[in-house]
Amino acid sequence: MIDVVMPQMGESIVEGTLTKWLKKPGDRVERDEPLFEISTDKVDTEIPSPVAGTLGEILVEEGKTVGINTVVGRISDGAGSAAAAPAAAAPAAASSTAPAPAPEPTAEPSQPQAARAPAPQAPPPPTPANPDDMPGPLSPLVRKMARENNIDLSKVKGTGAGARITKQDLENYMAQGAASGTAPAPAPATAVATAPPQQQPPRQAVATIPAPVTHEAPAQFRGEAPSGRVEPMSIMRQKIAEHMVFSAHTSVHVTTVHKVDMTRIAKVRDRLKGEFQARYGFGLTFLPFVARATTGALQQFPLLNASIDGANIIYHRDINLGIAVALENGLIVPVIRNADEKNVVGLQRSIADLAGRARSRQLRPEEVQGGTFSITNFGSFGSVFATPIINQPQVAILGVGSVEKEPVVVDDAIAIRSMCYLALTFDHRLIDGALADQFTAKVKSVLENWSEEVL
């Protein structure tokens, strides 16, 4: 039998949720054929079979979150049955020769019962509250959540591999504190207190944060609610909810909106889209023009291509552009690396490739990491403008509305122009309104005065 393990889908990823088995026990599976689907903090993807054979058993059920390298199933390649008998016999032989436990020493008759009982061991020293001092493989996300929410990790029980603390453990801890108004009592092994746990004073840092989204609906709404059907969120939906709440809790969101005359771009696109499709095999949209103008503006205003680390500003050397892609059941933001080095054709090719593979669940984890600025094109669904939420740890995101023909006053005359709204949401902790408007005005100027050759 060949073990099938939970793969490590990126350097910072230490666990994954097995969302769906694509085969049943007894099914034939070929090498590299999709075997199961997983969801991580970074990406949802299909995992191929490491060998050809028959799926023998499933060890991790759908919906379970396990650490990397955990055996989730086994595949029979036809050569494992002969070795199974000796392997099974080994534990039995070992157990038959194991020495009997030594008898407990008998206490002296003169000793009272209390004296005969072994003295309780002193509790071990508590784990440091500072997440940066915690031992073990804590993920960067866990450390950041603990630091920003002032959580003493010595009071959080880890359920991951080797008692490692996972993101779900922190969320459960915070939810318990938010629901009860008090922090969860520490485990008995680390608690040394004269008062019972329920008398401990509330922990303000935990009680005041919003409770995160969980798998279960409230007790009064489980099953069939009076108003309709209730079902748990998908893993992807939960992660989107968590990230959105985290972003709203982290950044000071402000949105500025600029109206852009896209007539010149629209004429270029109408003139070239037939030849573009025939030459490259994919269509030409407005989005690569906006992306190209954005990368130029980011070069001129590098603060919008930065991020915040405590009291420090990190100015990113590369411009890695995240492009939001709508999926059937959620949203994902794959990244175009070194986007400033690409022209309109290169940007359109990257957008089409990443969007196609995102919708077919074929993205690699590194393709949704490392973004420094994001663009979301809600105009593709007819929206005029919206106020997007920042993709952490970035400090700004540009929303693109639909391009529509409108009557506009040009040189004191009414003309029909192709107009579009650009909505820039920025983190006011780092970026002031004047700088945000200067950046958006630069993008607007490039688009309205487009002069770069496309083909």
Side-chain angles (χ1 to χ4, degrees), residues 255 257 378 382-387 399-402 421-423:
T255 303
V257 180
F378 41 75
S383 174
V384 178
F385 72 82
T387 55
V400 184
S402 61
Y421 289 99
L422 296 181

Side-chain angles (χ1 to χ4, degrees), residues 254 256 258 301 303-304 424 426 428 430-442:
V254 179
T256 182
H258 285 227
F301 300 95
L303 195 61
L304 282 91
L424 177 75
F426 56 95
H428 213 334
L430 182 62
I431 300 169
D432 294 326
L435 179 63
D437 285 332
Q438 290 169 17
F439 170 85
T440 314
K442 175 62 178 178

Side-chain angles (χ1 to χ4, degrees), residues 130-454:
N130 184 355
D132 293 327
D133 296 333
M134 289 289 294
L138 293 178
S139 70
L141 178 60
V142 167
R143 292 181 187 273
K144 184 174 183 180
M145 288 176 64
R147 183 167 53 247
E148 294 186 349
N149 293 299
N150 195 26
I151 296 175
D152 184 351
L153 291 176
S154 66
K155 294 180 173 62
V156 181
K157 182 179 179 181
T159 61
R164 177 179 50 77
I165 297 174
T166 66
K167 182 180 69 173
Q168 188 65 45
D169 295 331
L170 286 185
E171 291 170 351
N172 292 339
Y173 180 88
M174 290 188 291
Q176 183 177 351
S180 64
T182 59
T190 60
V192 181
T194 57
Q198 62 269 25
Q199 296 177 1
Q200 294 178 357
R203 288 175 58 89
Q204 293 300 323
V206 175
T208 56
I209 63 173
V213 179
T214 59
H215 279 275
E216 276 191 312
Q220 67 269 30
F221 294 125
R222 292 176 196 153
E224 288 295 326
S227 59
R229 180 170 57 90
V230 175
E231 64 181 26
M233 290 183 177
S234 67
I235 298 298
M236 173 174 281
R237 191 74 260 164
Q238 291 179 58
K239 293 185 185 302
I240 292 173
E242 293 164 5
H243 294 165
M244 294 299 99
V245 170
F246 176 70
S247 182
H249 180 70
T250 300
S251 295
V252 181
H253 286 67
V254 179
T255 303
T256 182
V257 180
H258 285 227
K259 197 171 187 178
V260 182
D261 188 341
M262 297 284 285
T263 303
R264 182 169 295 191
I265 300 292
K267 290 180 178 179
V268 170
R269 177 174 174 266
D270 288 342
R271 176 169 53 85
L272 298 178
K273 62 183 181 182
E275 182 182 352
F276 193 95
Q277 176 74 46
R279 181 181 298 186
Y280 299 110
F282 47 84
L284 178 61
T285 66
F286 288 103
L287 191 55
F289 294 92
V290 177
R292 180 65 173 161
T294 299
T295 59
L298 289 172
Q299 291 174 320
Q300 184 171 337
F301 300 95
L303 195 61
L304 282 91
N305 196 54
S307 58
I308 299 174
D309 182 17
N312 298 321
I313 303 172
I314 300 176
Y315 289 89
H316 299 293
R317 179 179 61 253
D318 300 327
I319 296 177
N320 297 331
L321 205 58
I323 303 294
V325 176
L327 307 178
E328 182 179 354
N329 60 342
L331 180 75
I332 197 167
V333 187
V335 176
I336 303 174
R337 300 195 178 277
N338 303 115
D340 53 313
E341 299 176 1
K342 299 179 182 291
N343 58 13
V344 170
V345 175
L347 289 168
Q348 182 68 82
R349 177 180 284 110
S350 295
I351 292 169
D353 171 61
L354 290 172
R357 288 193 292 113
R359 294 181 178 118
S360 60
R361 304 171 71 89
Q362 294 178 350
L363 287 176
R364 300 183 299 274
E366 61 269 20
E367 292 178 313
V368 293
Q369 300 182 58
T372 59
F373 185 93
S374 293
I375 295 177
T376 177
N377 183 24
F378 41 75
S380 61
F381 297 97
S383 174
V384 178
F385 72 82
T387 55
I389 293 179
I390 296 168
N391 187 19
Q392 296 296 323
Q394 299 165 25
V395 294
I397 180 171
L398 183 67
V400 184
S402 61
V403 178
E404 299 180 350
K405 289 186 176 183
E406 298 178 0
V408 178
V409 176
V410 179
D411 296 330
D412 293 333
I414 296 178
I416 303 299
R417 311 291 288 181
S418 296
M419 305 300 295
C420 170
Y421 289 99
L422 296 181
L424 177 75
T425 296
F426 56 95
D427 189 341
H428 213 334
R429 295 179 302 166
L430 182 62
I431 300 169
D432 294 326
L435 179 63
D437 285 332
Q438 290 169 17
F439 170 85
T440 314
K442 175 62 178 178
V443 177
K444 170 186 170 79
S445 176
V446 173
L447 293 173
E448 291 185 339
N449 301 284
W450 187 268
S451 60
E452 184 178 311
E453 291 294 330
V454 175

